[in-house]
């Protein structure tokens, strides 16, 4: 019988409305189980690790990511797959971070949660949870069908570092426009075999160290030198710059001089687009040619969530800005397509 470890961190899936204040608050895992008697009928041995402090995922942080990575490491040889119950608000950050922290992954790590609590009559939680478990235990020829960090939500399975929360009120909470879905659930569970990454040979390597000294510079027409300077001068080593279209910025000299200054100070700047679909093409327009020449890293089609967590991961592993730049531009876990 397959063994699955459910790691419960919190989120709406396990919340209940406080009778007095009507505010949604997390409940413990036993109360969740009471709402899903179907779990008993699954052909799997389910183990549960519930975090001591159950949280709304807006309180998620890199220390908890390291704890989750540690739990996966400690249980990796005993189980066939993992299901992580997590609030949807920051699920794509956690799934992206975990994808970088787990190298040579050969077992499924399936994140799920829900938009309505599991106790609600119209809840989406049961389907999400039951199918996430089905996917975590799915095998073909003794090998996991999806040896990746994924998000399962509303009948679709996404690569965890390609998805983002796109809708706060529909059951269809996630999208992944730059990469195809990995599986779809209907009458049958259909896996997109050609889009699923296969593990490379070698044991799982878990990198628990992240450095969160990252700042974000989101551009808009009219942004002032004072604002740009303050962000670039922040006491951080990495800056994720959200640019226009295919990676473009203003060509004003004050702006490019400030960027060059930050790079000369040893900072790494990563260019990702404010567009949710498409890719950064440094050098395609005059408005990005200078960025390329000064050594800004090309983020290609990475999501914001993947960009920030990849920066934290690489800053945690390396000191040399040139190595970090090169790895930012390299496809490490299927998070980007080099174009
Ligand atoms: N605020 C909740 C959370 O992220 C929302 C959800 O679970 O969907 O924890």
């Amino acid at each position: 019988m397959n063994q699955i470890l459910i790691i419960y961190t919190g989120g709406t899936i396990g919340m209940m409305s406080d009778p007095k204040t009507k505010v949604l608050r997390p409940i413990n895992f036993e109360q969740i189980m009471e709402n899903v008697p179907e779990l008993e009928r699954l052909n799997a041995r389910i183990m549960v690790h519930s975090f001591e402090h159950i949280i709304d995922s807006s309180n998620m942080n890199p220390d908890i990511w390291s704890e989750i990575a540690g739990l996966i490491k400690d249980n990796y040889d005993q189980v066939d797959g993992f299901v992580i119950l997590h609030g949807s608000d920051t699920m794509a950050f956690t799934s992206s971070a975990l994808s970088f922290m787990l190298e040579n992954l050969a077992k499924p790590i399936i994140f799920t949660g829900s938009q309505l609590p599991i106790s609600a009559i119209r809840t989406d939680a049961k389907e999400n949870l039951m199918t996430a478990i089905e996917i975590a235990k799915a095998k073909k020829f003794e090998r996991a069908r999806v040896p990746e960090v994924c998000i399962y939500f509303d009948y679709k399975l996404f690569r965890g570092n390609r998805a983002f929360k796109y809708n706060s009120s529909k059951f269809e909470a996630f999208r992944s426009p730059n990469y195809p879905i990995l599986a779809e659930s209907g009458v049958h569970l259909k896996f997109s075999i050609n889009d699923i990454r296969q593990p490379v040979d070698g044991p799982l390597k878990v990198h628990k160290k992240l450095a969160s000294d990252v700042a974000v510079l989101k551009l808009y027409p009219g942004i002032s030198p004072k604002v740009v300077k303050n962000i670039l001068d922040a006491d951080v080593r990495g800056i994720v710059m959200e640019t226009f279209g295919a990676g473009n910025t203003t060509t004003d000299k004050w702006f490019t001089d400030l960027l060059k200054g930050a790079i000369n100070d040893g900072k790494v700047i990563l260019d990702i687009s404010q567009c949710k679909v498409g890719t950064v093409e440094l050098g395609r327009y005059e408005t990005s040619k200078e960025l390329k020449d000064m050594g800004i890293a090309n983020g290609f089609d990475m999501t914001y969530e993947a960009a920030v967590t990849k920066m934290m991961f690489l800053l945690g592993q390396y000191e040399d800005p040139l190595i970090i730049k090169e790895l930012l531009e390299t496809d490490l876990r299927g998070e980007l397509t080099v174009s």
Side-chain angles (χ1 to χ4, degrees):
M1 203 189 259
N2 287 325
Q3 297 227 44
I4 302 296
L5 178 63
I6 296 181
I7 300 175
Y8 175 45
T9 69
T12 301
I13 190 163
M15 290 193 187
M16 247 178 201
S17 171
D18 184 298
K20 278 199 200 122
T21 61
K22 304 282 177 249
V23 168
L24 282 173
R25 286 231 192 80
I27 54 172
N28 64 35
F29 197 81
E30 285 71 47
Q31 289 166 281
I32 296 189
M33 296 287 252
E34 283 164 20
N35 282 283
V36 204
E38 296 89 343
L39 279 173
E40 304 268 313
R41 287 174 34 216
L42 276 176
N43 185 24
R45 187 166 308 132
I46 310 280
M47 303 185 304
V48 178
H49 178 96
S50 182
F51 270 75
E52 205 176 319
H53 298 293
I54 299 305
I55 56 167
D56 184 298
S57 78
S58 297
N59 284 318
M60 189 45 73
N61 63 53
D63 289 340
I64 309 181
W65 296 341
S66 296
E67 252 185 272
I68 298 174
L71 274 169
I72 291 171
K73 184 177 181 202
D74 293 347
N75 291 280
Y76 194 73
D77 293 334
Q78 289 88 56
V79 304
D80 298 281
F82 298 82
V83 170
I84 305 185
L85 301 184
H86 192 292
S88 63
D89 288 353
T90 64
M91 190 183 285
F93 287 92
T94 306
S95 59
S96 296
L98 263 294
S99 76
F100 297 118
M101 296 164 88
L102 304 172
E103 191 179 342
N104 290 348
L105 183 66
K107 296 189 178 181
I109 314 280
I110 314 296
F111 279 81
T112 197
S114 62
Q115 295 281 54
L116 281 177
I118 204 149
S119 55
I121 294 185
R122 289 178 47 253
T123 188
D124 52 331
K126 287 188 190 177
E127 202 291 315
N128 286 350
L129 173 59
M130 299 303 282
T131 307
I133 297 173
E134 287 290 346
I135 293 169
K137 71 185 185 67
K139 287 191 179 170
K140 191 161 189 192
F141 306 127
E142 292 299 302
R143 299 173 75 128
R145 298 210 67 152
V146 195
E148 294 208 32
V149 178
C150 303
I151 290 179
Y152 178 76
F153 225 93
D154 195 41
Y155 303 100
K156 293 189 183 72
L157 184 71
F158 304 94
R159 177 170 294 160
N161 56 30
R162 288 288 195 157
F164 56 87
K165 185 165 180 182
Y166 132 93
N167 198 312
S168 61
S169 46
K170 283 192 177 177
F171 288 153
E172 184 203 4
F174 290 89
R175 284 209 174 163
S176 158
N178 281 333
Y179 198 79
I181 53 169
L182 304 182
E184 189 154 20
S185 155
V187 174
H188 301 287
L189 253 178
K190 274 179 119 183
F191 293 93
S192 308
I193 301 160
N194 296 333
D195 299 316
I196 296 172
R197 271 168 81 83
Q198 290 309 320
V200 290
D201 279 341
L204 175 76
K205 282 193 211 146
V206 180
H207 308 277
K208 289 214 252 168
K209 196 163 163 237
L210 298 170
S212 50
D213 48 344
V214 177
V216 175
L217 172 58
K218 184 163 186 163
L219 301 183
Y220 50 89
I223 194 166
S224 72
K226 193 169 69 183
V227 168
V228 174
K229 189 170 177 345
N230 268 312
I231 295 172
L232 294 178
D233 282 351
D235 185 17
V236 294
R237 289 190 292 142
I239 291 143
V240 174
M241 180 167 71
E242 280 200 89
T243 58
F244 309 122
N248 306 315
T249 65
T250 171
T251 47
D252 281 354
K253 191 166 176 318
W254 66 262
F255 180 74
T256 49
D257 281 351
L258 283 174
L259 293 180
K260 279 182 204 157
I263 290 176
N264 287 339
D265 289 346
K267 297 191 175 178
V268 186
I269 305 180
L270 172 65
D271 184 333
I272 57 165
S273 175
Q274 291 176 20
C275 295
K276 294 292 191 189
V277 191
T279 190
V280 166
E281 290 181 81
L282 288 188
R284 177 172 152 94
Y285 291 90
E286 191 193 8
T287 43
S288 68
K289 169 84 174 69
E290 208 176 340
L291 306 178
K292 185 177 180 179
D293 295 342
M294 72 175 83
I296 286 189
N298 189 335
F300 297 101
D301 55 354
M302 259 192 291
T303 61
Y304 171 66
E305 291 81 349
V308 168
T309 56
K310 188 175 183 181
M311 184 71 95
M312 288 180 175
F313 166 69
L314 292 174
L315 292 174
Q317 313 298 311
Y318 303 95
E319 290 296 329
D320 185 342
L322 289 179
I323 295 179
I324 296 172
K325 175 191 183 270
E326 193 181 318
L327 291 173
L328 281 169
E329 295 179 335
T330 306
D331 175 11
L332 300 180
R333 310 278 191 267
E335 75 281 8
L336 60 80
T337 309
V338 176
S339 51

